Amino acid sequence: SYTCPGKEGLLPFMTQKDLEAAQAINAAMARALKEENGGKGFRGVLYGAFMCTKRGVGCIEFNARFGDPESLNLLALLKSDIITLMEAVVKGNLSQDLVQMAPLASVVKYAVPFGYPDSPQKGAEIDVSAVDPDSLFLASVDVVEGKLVELGSRTAAVVKTGKTVAAAEAACEEEIRKITGPVFHRPDIGTADVLDLRVAHMKQVRKVRVGVVGSTRGSSLQPILYAIRDGALNAEISVVVGNVGSSYILQRARVNNIPTVHIPGKGRVREEFDRDVTNALRSYKVDIVLLVGFMRIVSGDFCRAWPGKLINVHPSLLPLHAGLMDLAVHQSVIDAGDRESGCTVHQVIEEVDGGGTVVQLKVPVEKGETAETLKAKVQKLEGAALIEAVRMYDRDGFLPGGPPGSDRPQ
């Protein structure tokens, strides 16, 4: 395992938000222990093992094993006297200023027996005499007839610190190679290649997986594709589903190497068609669904399959001019004498154009405006509005305006 230098010591694939989430879990555990212990609280050592996931930080377990690599990482950086800290824990006067950590990186590598972990060799002799004793931590070993032998679990750890992870890793790798006997270790721990893989993996995990359903040209999809390509949107279009095989939205997707699914809808029962669309979207594990130029009214079952995650863009400032399409919307705006128009990204529910607002963008209605000119102005906003909606989901983990219970991270 490894830590990074600096005050917070954030690993390169972590965010400040991840750290705060883990701290909140620790605090919640402390409160729960206090409640279960009659208000007396818990005094001792406890640390959480956390995992960054798509849905945020999760806790795997709590333990207090000083021999775990994660503990050794931190103990190697501890500048304070540990006895003083433990006495403060017992007396109940431990404070943050008593705990001083070196702003360095640390790397821990464990030597383990041949066959570990499935069928570890036991009883074999090892030699650690050449290893720096200040860096060596013996674990699952014993002294038998004057010889140091393995007992089957993790054998010995080597810990090194440095100004960078690379420096600490190089020193740690050099030292652990001095352990001789039937042991092996992972030489990649803490290397730049592993760090790069972790960063790339977390970037992929954190991306919003977007499913698109459409029937026509999909003009509003193109700005999203550009934003993703330019690194301005942390998302990927996982699949485009279309009910018209010759539609340009499917061609647009193929040109951009995006998987497509054609599901003909003519003459089919709405619920049956929608079920097939849902199955296609779920097979690509999408987070949210965008209806982009989809020329069908969706069923209630389809809406309920994607609560708070199914959105459409309408070319007016809803609830104004709801239920109209294409040029009829813009002509209605002009006939009403509205001074401004725009587009609305909204939640899709059974009532047409009746879902809650996610994003609205506006343009002025100029003197002499026609339905055609207003349509052109509003269309330019639709891609930007959808991009903003995806950003909101990426930031918050949910979209506003959805049904009860959907307004929390998914």
Side-chain angles (χ1 to χ4, degrees), residues 298-346:
V298 298
S299 64
D301 288 345
F302 189 74
C303 297
R304 286 185 288 274
W306 305 97
K309 301 179 181 181
L310 178 62
I311 57 177
N312 180 51
V313 60
H314 185 78
S316 77
L317 299 177
L318 292 176
L320 300 175
H321 314 289
L324 301 175
M325 297 178 65
D326 200 28
L327 291 176
V329 180
H330 307 294
Q331 189 61 54
S332 178
V333 171
I334 294 169
D335 292 344
D338 295 347
R339 294 185 177 182
E340 60 182 8
S341 186
C343 66
T344 303
V345 176
H346 63 93

Side-chain angles (χ1 to χ4, degrees), residues 231-247:
L233 186 62
N234 183 39
E236 67 173 27
I237 305 300
S238 299
V239 64
V240 175
V241 180
N243 63 314
V244 180
S246 60
S247 63

Side-chain angles (χ1 to χ4, degrees), residues 290 311-314 316 318 343-347 355-361 381-382 384-387 389 399-400:
L290 312 186
I311 57 177
N312 180 51
V313 60
H314 185 78
S316 77
L318 292 176
C343 66
T344 303
V345 176
H346 63 93
Q347 296 276 358
T357 296
V358 178
V359 177
Q360 276 191 337
L361 297 181
L381 301 178
E382 292 176 0
L386 287 169
I387 289 170
L399 293 170

Side-chain angles (χ1 to χ4, degrees), residues 145-403:
E145 297 179 355
K147 299 177 181 179
L148 191 64
V149 298
E150 301 174 291
L151 297 182
S153 190
R154 290 181 293 195
T155 304
V158 170
V159 187
K160 284 293 185 178
T161 63
K163 291 184 178 180
T164 64
V165 176
E169 186 280 326
C172 189
E173 180 64 22
E174 179 182 4
E175 205 65 32
I176 199 168
R177 293 182 183 183
K178 297 176 182 177
I179 300 176
T180 60
V183 295
F184 71 96
H185 70 280
R186 282 186 55 186
D188 61 330
I189 297 296
T191 62
D193 286 346
V194 166
L195 290 175
D196 289 345
L197 285 173
R198 296 289 182 269
V199 170
H201 174 70
M202 284 311 302
K203 283 183 177 178
Q204 186 64 33
V205 167
R206 295 181 197 273
K207 282 184 178 179
V208 180
R209 295 179 62 84
V210 179
V212 175
V213 182
S215 306
T216 55
R217 297 179 61 199
S219 302
S220 299
L221 175 59
Q222 194 61 52
I224 301 174
L225 295 175
Y226 285 148
I228 291 172
R229 188 188 65 181
D230 295 344
L233 186 62
N234 183 39
E236 67 173 27
I237 305 300
S238 299
V239 64
V240 175
V241 180
N243 63 314
V244 180
S246 60
S247 63
Y248 188 65
I249 192 170
L250 292 179
Q251 296 179 42
R252 191 188 300 272
R254 295 183 189 114
V255 166
N256 286 275
N257 298 312
I258 297 169
T260 62
V261 178
H262 173 219
I263 303 177
K266 188 174 181 180
R268 299 187 63 189
V269 175
R270 182 186 300 173
E271 287 75 12
E272 179 187 85
F273 171 82
D274 287 353
R275 185 166 57 250
D276 287 348
V277 174
T278 288
N279 289 338
L281 294 168
R282 285 177 173 166
S283 71
Y284 284 90
K285 300 179 180 178
V286 304
D287 298 311
I288 58 176
V289 180
L290 312 186
L291 302 184
V292 179
F294 188 48
M295 307 305 289
R296 290 176 63 98
I297 296 175
V298 298
S299 64
D301 288 345
F302 189 74
C303 297
R304 286 185 288 274
W306 305 97
K309 301 179 181 181
L310 178 62
I311 57 177
N312 180 51
V313 60
H314 185 78
S316 77
L317 299 177
L318 292 176
L320 300 175
H321 314 289
L324 301 175
M325 297 178 65
D326 200 28
L327 291 176
V329 180
H330 307 294
Q331 189 61 54
S332 178
V333 171
I334 294 169
D335 292 344
D338 295 347
R339 294 185 177 182
E340 60 182 8
S341 186
C343 66
T344 303
V345 176
H346 63 93
Q347 296 276 358
V348 178
I349 61 174
E350 287 187 76
E351 179 188 349
V352 176
D353 297 335
T357 296
V358 178
V359 177
Q360 276 191 337
L361 297 181
K362 301 177 181 180
V363 292
V365 178
E366 307 289 350
K367 185 178 179 180
E369 196 87 73
T370 66
E372 288 78 8
T373 60
L374 184 56
K375 175 183 176 179
K377 290 165 62 174
V378 171
Q379 275 188 331
K380 292 179 180 180
L381 301 178
E382 292 176 0
L386 287 169
I387 289 170
E388 180 58 26
V390 176
R391 283 200 182 113
M392 292 170 70
Y393 188 88
D394 179 41
R395 181 190 67 225
D396 302 327
F398 67 93
L399 293 170

Side-chain angles (χ1 to χ4, degrees), residues 9-67:
L10 284 178
L11 299 173
F13 49 81
M14 287 181 62
T15 66
Q16 184 66 29
K17 186 177 178 180
D18 293 333
L19 176 62
E20 292 170 357
Q23 290 171 333
I25 293 173
N26 279 340
M29 174 59 75
R31 290 192 298 270
L33 287 171
K34 186 174 183 179
E35 292 174 4
E36 290 184 8
N37 198 25
K40 296 180 182 179
F42 170 79
R43 294 186 183 184
V45 176
L46 194 66
Y47 77 83
F50 301 97
M51 179 179 290
C52 293
T53 73
K54 186 174 187 66
R55 297 186 178 184
V57 172
C59 183
I60 302 171
E61 63 176 352
F62 279 91
N63 54 54
R65 298 187 296 262
F66 280 175

